Amino acid sequence: MAELTPMMQQYLKTKEEYKDCILFYRLGDFYEMFFDDAVTVSKELELTLTGKSCGLEERAPMCGVPYHAVDGYLNRLVAKGYKVAICEQMEDPKMAKGLVKRDVVRIVTPGTNLDIQSLDNTKNNYIMCIVYVANRYGLSIADVTTGEYLLTEVDTPNRLTDELYKFAPAEIICNESFYMSGLNLDEMKERLGTAVYFLDAWYFDDTLCRQTLTEHFHVNSLEGLGLSDYDCGIIASGALLKYLEETQRNSLSHLSRLTTYVTGNYMILDNATRRNLELVETLREKQKRGSLLWVLDKTKTAMGARTLRKYIEQPLIDKRQITDRLDAVEELKENAISREEIREYLGPIYDLERLMGKITYGSANPRDLSAFQSSLSMLPHVKYILEEMQSDLLKEIYKKMDPMEELCSLIESAIAEDPPLAMKEGGIIREGYSEEVDRLRKAKSEGKDWLAELETKERENTGIKNLRIRFNKVFGYYLEVTNSFKDMVPDYYIRKQTLANAERYTIPELKELEEQILGAEDRLCALEYDLYCEVRSQIAEEMTRIQTTAKAVAKLDALASLALIAERNNYVRPKINEKGVIDIKDGRHPVVEKMIPNDLFIANDTYLDDRKKRISIITGPNMAGKSTYMRQTALIVLMAQIGSFIPASSGNIGLVDRIFTRVGASDDLASGQSTFMVEMNEVANILHNATSKSLLILDEIGRGTSTFDGLSIAWAVVEHISSSRLLGAKTLFATHYHELTELEGKIDNVNNYCIAVKEKGDEIVFLRKIVQGGADKSYGIQVAKLAGVPDSVIARAKEIVEELTEADITERVRDIAVQGPEQKRKRKKRPDDVDLAQFSLFDTVKDDDVLEELKGLDISHMTPMDALNTLYQLQKKLENRW
């Protein structure tokens, strides 16, 4: 390194400490990148790649971005999964002796990005630490922008996956053991868009993790934090906190509370269910519009939007908690005037949680404090209205909401009414707050009067009518004279700069005024900055009060949104029971009904229980509304368990611990899995993890394979679910296998339902109404006609379906395939074409082994599935002999 320039030596030394980061190295008004970093950044951000002499034979590759526009470039790199280390100048270059001191002040990663402009204010930006130790997973989750800090433990990969999809972290850090645990990390990165980093083993040292936590929370023992039962979780939360300390290089005091939670305290929703029910985004477009969140979210604040999103993603399973929310929603619904007043006052409230994060970090600008003050000024009005409320949850919110009048008064008296964005250029402190600021400000304003007087005097003395006194940061104050008057400039004017159309001068008197004015300005800016920092620190000291109030405001906003939607959409309060009964009258799909104009949505009833009505087999044509009906049932149950009113005329909802869905078909080509394999993986997951308290939504199980195999699997799945000994979960099961309707009466808790259809010749009309009984056909050809399939294809399909209904499909398809659509099919009558009532099978077969096998069957000990398979094998034997 001897031949390198001193500056480049400093750069490479810093880069060596942050090998896994792109180093933004501050040089004057730019952040520069060199060598490999420059090549990477120029490619990712489409910047021009240049070179810089560095003492080596070849110039060092270099690119850079202006410091005042760095956030945009930084966000783009972080969004692509890069870590970026910000290396700042630690002293004023004018005051530096030799090389300017520089140091890394912060490392920006996907999970620690603090730029509010680049984040979705309705979503948390989580970072998650996962530790895999002795077949257990410790999880710790934090949002550094809001101060949320959580801890839990899970014992299976499936439970871990559920948590991953629930929080959808922007960044995951983990130990090497987790990498070896067998989870498909590439799939996780792909589906969640998550950056995954493996940390060195020392981060996960048990002693270090415990010490990090005790020092941060100022306690002697972790038992005081309620962490004694979370050995694995302690390592995860300690490692996460250490990582944040290493990357943020700043106070993390806003991570003021480590909250433990148990996954079993909430309804568990796997990734397939979240996607199929379109809870927070649509399945295809990944947009909010068309999701349940889109329907329910009428919140006024960013905090409220995030809270409502959490409600939807974490439904409750405790009856008392659900009832408390329903009580609050009902009271807000019934008191519409008070609710709308509350919502009106909530409107101007900024994101207190993220503002508090910026204040703690020391990055909040004067306008942030002004926004904070205007937000606090709304709280007394909200609290006054809440005083009348009687429900327990609203009373609790009332108690926790602290108006903090003294902070509001402090900011109002200290910060100017319309402050600038910059913190070090003055104009921040309100007049009357500081005598010294007022004195310096007066000197500054009087200085301008002095300059005006000098300008007038020099015009008169010289006769130059357009003489002006101007200022810039390079030359300070100067006299500017255009070229048309430069012959009139007196000898005592000292030239400072020549321009194309003017000359700039100074005189001793102007120099004296400059020193007085600029001295006052410099002292004023420094003093205003110091006073501003004092105010900001005073606010930061009240962090716990502010966070508690912010959570109360967020909860109130979410509940008010649910109340407003209940009123607007004609929702009703559901009853909650623990007896396993789901009884919905006139249920509606909350999203689909908003998409259909003129209230044309057809409502349907649902009844499921743990006895005679455990499984509903639903048949009917495609497009008739089977999937919509099943999804609406799942959504109504979920809405009830988040504490929302439901789209129905009445509802009595039995608590469920999980909702599973197997809906739709899609190949997973990236992992080499066919439609059927994806389907079977989802079915296996459901059968392994569902309980008797779960709700299952199964749509067309077995359709991805041959008819007999598919029917067999669907039949066996229904048998398995119906058995209280094996599973016994409440299930809605849609199918085109009409043979499954035979299970009604044979299994006492299976019931048949179908979608009503009205036929008009070859035309069909979907009535969208669920009625008792099974459908006798699927109307597939009529649906194809509705879809616009050519008439010739429709006519041919009708011919084929007639033949297939007369014969066994597995044998007849070969004959049909070789015959043209116009060819007359004069077939020789085969034994299987004869009316079986008048045909003796055993007279035709000379060998009696089939007969003997049939006689030897013990029918009383055969399941319906075994009987169906045995008949199929006997049939094949007979066919092979003809």
Side-chain angles (χ1 to χ4, degrees):
M1 290 177 59
E3 67 266 24
L4 291 169
T5 61
M7 188 278 292
M8 195 56 70
Q9 290 181 36
Q10 185 190 56
Y11 169 84
L12 290 176
K13 182 180 178 182
T14 307
K15 177 64 181 173
E16 182 66 23
E17 296 177 21
Y18 301 94
K19 292 179 180 178
D20 61 337
C21 301
I22 289 173
L23 185 62
F24 272 37
Y25 189 74
R26 181 73 179 267
L27 285 175
D29 289 341
F30 282 81
Y31 287 101
E32 305 286 5
M33 287 125 274
F34 301 101
F35 300 109
D36 290 345
D37 282 358
V39 174
T40 300
V41 172
S42 66
K43 181 180 177 182
E44 294 287 3
L45 301 184
E46 300 178 352
L47 301 178
T48 302
L49 187 65
T50 61
K52 182 177 178 66
S53 298
C54 61
L56 299 176
E57 292 182 6
E58 295 184 5
R59 288 162 63 85
M62 180 183 83
C63 69
V65 298
Y67 83 96
H68 58 79
V70 68
D71 288 341
Y73 296 104
L74 187 64
N75 293 333
R76 287 166 61 190
L77 282 174
V78 169
K80 292 173 182 285
Y82 291 100
K83 293 182 179 181
V84 180
I86 309 295
C87 184
E88 291 284 4
Q89 296 173 164
M90 304 307 290
E91 57 183 343
D92 187 339
K94 295 177 184 176
M95 309 297 293
K97 294 180 180 179
L99 198 62
V100 176
K101 291 179 182 177
R102 293 179 176 86
D103 198 4
V104 171
V105 296
R106 189 161 71 93
I107 299 172
V108 184
T109 68
T112 62
N113 192 357
L114 297 175
D115 183 16
I116 294 177
Q117 303 301 321
S118 68
L119 300 176
D120 183 348
N121 61 7
T122 67
K123 290 173 60 177
N124 286 90
N125 190 53
Y126 286 118
I127 178 171
M128 178 183 285
C129 180
I130 305 174
V131 177
Y132 180 61
V133 179
N135 294 322
R136 284 190 69 77
Y137 299 91
L139 275 70
S140 187
I141 307 102
D143 182 346
V144 293
T145 65
T146 66
E148 192 172 355
Y149 190 18
L150 307 170
L151 174 155
T152 193
E153 291 183 2
V154 295
D155 53 6
T156 67
N158 282 336
R159 287 289 178 91
L160 172 62
T161 303
D162 293 339
E163 294 304 293
L164 282 169
Y165 284 105
K166 177 166 74 179
F167 288 101
E171 178 180 355
I172 294 173
I173 56 174
C174 52
N175 61 350
E176 287 188 6
S177 298
F178 175 66
Y179 181 74
M180 308 297 291
S181 67
L183 243 71
N184 190 337
L185 295 181
D186 291 332
E187 180 186 357
M188 190 168 64
K189 291 179 189 177
E190 181 74 22
R191 291 200 173 181
L192 290 173
T194 299
V196 180
Y197 304 114
F198 302 101
L199 301 187
D200 294 336
W202 65 266
Y203 277 99
F204 304 98
D205 178 75
D206 184 65
T207 303
L208 174 65
C209 291
R210 290 175 180 273
Q211 180 183 342
T212 302
L213 290 171
T214 52
E215 289 177 357
H216 178 79
F217 291 107
H218 308 293
V219 294
N220 294 323
S221 168
L222 295 181
E223 290 182 3
L225 298 175
L227 305 182
S228 54
D229 296 329
Y230 294 90
D231 291 341
C232 197
I234 286 171
I235 298 174
S237 54
L240 176 57
L241 188 58
K242 176 57 70 175
Y243 177 78
L244 292 176
E245 288 176 352
E246 293 283 318
T247 57
Q248 301 311 288
R249 309 293 182 90
N250 212 322
S251 170
L252 296 171
S253 57
H254 65 306
L255 300 180
S256 58
R257 182 182 178 189
L258 180 55
T259 304
T260 60
Y261 75 96
V262 179
T263 56
N265 289 346
Y266 302 97
M267 182 195 293
I268 297 173
L269 302 167
D270 63 12
N271 180 45
T273 300
R274 292 175 190 277
R275 287 188 294 111
N276 290 329
L277 295 183
E278 299 182 306
L279 298 182
V280 296
E281 64 181 17
T282 55
L283 191 58
R284 290 183 176 85
E285 291 84 11
K286 307 296 181 187
Q287 299 295 319
K288 179 181 175 182
R289 178 180 170 79
S291 68
L292 179 64
L293 179 62
W294 170 68
V295 173
L296 298 182
D297 186 7
K298 295 295 179 284
T299 52
K300 288 288 192 176
T301 69
M303 303 172 290
R306 290 195 295 270
T307 299
L308 183 59
R309 189 187 186 99
K310 287 175 192 170
Y311 285 179
I312 292 172
E313 294 191 320
Q314 297 184 127
L316 301 170
I317 59 173
D318 181 83
K319 183 179 178 181
R320 177 61 188 273
Q321 289 180 311
I322 296 169
T323 303
D324 284 346
R325 277 192 198 168
L326 288 171
D327 289 343
V329 171
E330 183 173 38
E331 187 168 13
L332 289 169
K333 177 177 178 286
E334 297 302 321
N335 293 277
I337 295 175
S338 296
R339 181 192 70 229
E340 290 310 305
E341 279 190 68
I342 288 172
R343 284 170 49 79
E344 190 174 335
Y345 286 122
L346 290 177
I349 295 180
Y350 288 78
D351 194 339
L352 294 178
E353 290 178 329
R354 285 185 168 163
L355 277 177
M356 196 61 221
K358 291 182 73 175
I359 289 169
T360 304
Y361 268 75
S363 61
N365 60 51
R367 288 187 188 172
D368 289 330
L369 291 200
S370 183
F372 186 74
Q373 184 271 330
S374 66
S375 299
L376 293 185
S377 68
M378 296 294 111
L379 297 182
H381 305 292
V382 175
K383 190 156 187 176
Y384 176 77
I385 300 168
L386 279 178
E387 194 172 7
E388 305 170 359
M389 301 298 176
Q390 299 301 314
S391 61
D392 291 343
L393 196 51
L394 293 180
K395 284 182 177 179
E396 181 186 327
I397 290 171
Y398 173 80
K399 289 177 183 176
K400 290 185 175 180
M401 192 177 291
D402 184 347
M404 293 173 280
E405 285 96 343
E406 76 283 5
L407 285 185
C408 189
S409 299
L410 170 66
I411 300 170
E412 190 174 14
S413 61
I415 305 300
E417 187 172 343
D418 187 18
L421 274 172
M423 290 182 266
K424 296 186 177 182
E425 295 183 8
I428 301 172
I429 301 302
R430 190 185 289 266
E431 186 177 348
Y433 182 73
S434 165
E435 291 182 6
E436 181 65 13
V437 167
D438 292 345
R439 188 184 67 78
L440 290 172
R441 202 169 273 162
K442 185 177 180 182
K444 178 183 172 183
S445 62
E446 286 180 354
K448 291 180 180 178
D449 293 337
W450 300 335
L451 290 171
E453 290 173 8
L454 179 61
E455 184 181 277
T456 303
K457 187 177 85 170
E458 288 301 313
R459 278 185 195 164
E460 293 173 354
N461 290 343
T462 62
I464 302 173
K465 296 178 180 179
N466 64 356
L467 182 146
R468 295 279 187 276
I469 294 179
R470 300 184 185 277
F471 173 82
N472 67 33
K473 289 186 177 181
V474 177
F475 293 103
Y477 288 101
Y478 53 83
L479 296 157
E480 186 171 283
V481 179
T482 60
N483 288 341
S484 57
F485 288 96
K486 70 179 181 180
D487 294 338
M488 300 172 65
V489 172
D491 296 338
Y492 62 89
Y493 274 36
I494 303 166
R495 182 182 285 110
K496 294 187 77 169
Q497 188 182 17
T498 299
L499 303 178
N501 60 349
E503 297 282 348
R504 290 176 176 176
Y505 303 90
T506 188
I507 57 176
E509 192 175 352
L510 179 60
K511 196 71 178 171
E512 289 176 14
L513 284 177
E514 180 182 60
E515 290 175 1
Q516 292 179 36
I517 294 168
L518 292 184
E521 283 193 15
D522 290 343
R523 290 196 302 276
L524 177 61
C525 290
L527 179 58
E528 285 198 66
Y529 177 70
D530 290 342
L531 291 171
Y532 169 73
C533 290
E534 285 179 17
V535 172
R536 193 173 61 190
S537 297
Q538 283 182 258
I539 297 169
E541 289 172 5
E542 304 297 333
M543 177 188 50
T544 304
R545 290 171 64 194
I546 297 167
Q547 286 181 327
T548 301
T549 298
K551 283 184 171 56
V553 170
K555 194 177 292 186
L556 177 62
D557 193 12
L559 294 172
S561 178
L562 292 176
L564 176 67
I565 291 302
E567 182 181 78
R568 279 187 186 175
N569 296 353
N570 196 27
Y571 292 175
V572 299
R573 174 172 179 159
K575 295 178 180 177
I576 305 297
N577 71 79
E578 295 176 303
K579 298 177 181 178
V581 174
I582 296 175
D583 185 6
I584 302 166
K585 301 294 185 187
D586 299 318
R588 313 185 305 275
H589 193 295
V591 180
V592 176
E593 75 165 348
K594 301 302 290 182
M595 298 291 197
I596 297 177
N598 304 322
D599 297 326
L600 294 177
F601 189 89
I602 305 299
N604 278 297
D605 298 347
T606 302
Y607 187 89
L608 294 168
D609 61 27
D610 291 334
R611 297 184 180 179
K612 298 294 185 181
K613 301 282 187 178
R614 182 173 291 159
I615 299 178
S616 294
I617 303 288
I618 304 167
T619 50
N622 290 311
M623 291 176 56
K626 299 190 301 295
S627 295
T628 298
Y629 168 71
M630 294 194 300
R631 284 187 173 105
Q632 90 181 25
T633 302
L635 287 173
I636 287 171
V637 170
L638 184 140
M639 288 172 68
Q641 291 192 219
I642 70 172
S644 169
F645 281 31
I646 59 173
S649 62
S650 69
N652 190 358
I653 307 300
L655 295 176
V656 303
D657 62 353
R658 297 190 70 148
I659 295 176
F660 284 99
T661 62
R662 158 77 290 273
V663 179
S666 60
D667 288 352
D668 191 355
L669 299 179
S671 57
Q673 294 187 354
S674 67
T675 298
F676 184 64
M677 189 61 182
V678 172
E679 179 183 326
M680 288 301 101
N681 281 336
E682 292 182 2
V683 170
N685 174 53
I686 291 170
L687 298 183
H688 282 303
N689 294 293
T691 72
S692 60
K693 294 182 179 179
S694 301
L695 174 63
L696 312 188
I697 306 298
L698 304 177
D699 193 1
E700 299 188 37
I701 296 294
R703 68 178 175 179
T705 186
S706 68
T707 302
F708 282 113
D709 284 352
L711 174 58
S712 303
I713 291 168
W715 190 303
V717 167
V718 173
E719 284 186 345
H720 181 93
I721 294 171
S722 67
S723 169
S724 299
R725 183 175 56 84
L726 297 175
L727 182 49
K730 289 179 283 294
T731 304
L732 297 177
F733 194 108
T735 185
H736 284 292
Y737 295 129
H738 296 141
E739 294 84 352
L740 291 181
T741 59
E742 299 298 321
L743 290 172
E744 185 181 59
K746 296 179 180 178
I747 302 177
D748 63 358
N749 52 28
V750 173
N751 300 273
N752 291 333
Y753 294 89
C754 66
I755 308 289
V757 174
K758 187 173 184 179
E759 294 186 69
K760 292 181 179 178
D762 286 343
E763 305 291 329
I764 56 170
V765 177
F766 301 127
L767 301 181
R768 314 288 185 192
K769 199 70 180 173
I770 295 287
V771 295
Q772 194 125 18
D776 55 356
K777 52 184 177 179
S778 290
Y779 300 96
I781 295 176
Q782 287 90 335
V783 172
K785 185 176 180 180
L786 285 175
V789 174
D791 291 341
S792 59
V793 176
I794 297 296
R796 174 65 174 144
K798 288 179 180 178
E799 293 176 8
I800 295 172
V801 79
E802 287 179 11
E803 298 210 14
L804 294 180
T805 54
E806 293 173 4
D808 177 65
I809 187 171
T810 56
E811 185 66 27
R812 295 297 303 138
V813 165
R814 297 191 191 93
D815 296 339
I816 297 167
V818 299
Q819 297 172 356
E822 305 301 327
Q823 185 178 349
K824 292 183 180 179
R825 282 169 283 283
K826 294 182 179 179
R827 301 186 283 110
K828 183 180 179 180
K829 186 169 279 192
R830 294 165 44 103
D832 59 347
D833 293 326
V834 179
D835 185 351
L836 290 179
Q838 302 175 26
F839 180 75
S840 173
L841 174 67
F842 307 112
D843 288 343
T844 305
V845 182
K846 301 302 180 187
D847 298 321
D848 62 357
D849 57 331
V850 175
L851 179 60
E852 289 302 318
E853 186 175 346
L854 190 59
K855 287 180 178 178
L857 293 177
D858 185 1
I859 296 175
S860 62
H861 287 85
M862 293 177 74
T863 66
M865 199 69 251
D866 292 334
L868 189 65
N869 286 329
T870 303
L871 284 173
Y872 174 66
Q873 296 300 327
L874 292 174
Q875 185 183 47
K876 294 299 292 182
K877 284 185 180 181
L878 293 172
E879 287 174 351
N880 290 335
R881 294 176 183 181
W882 285 328

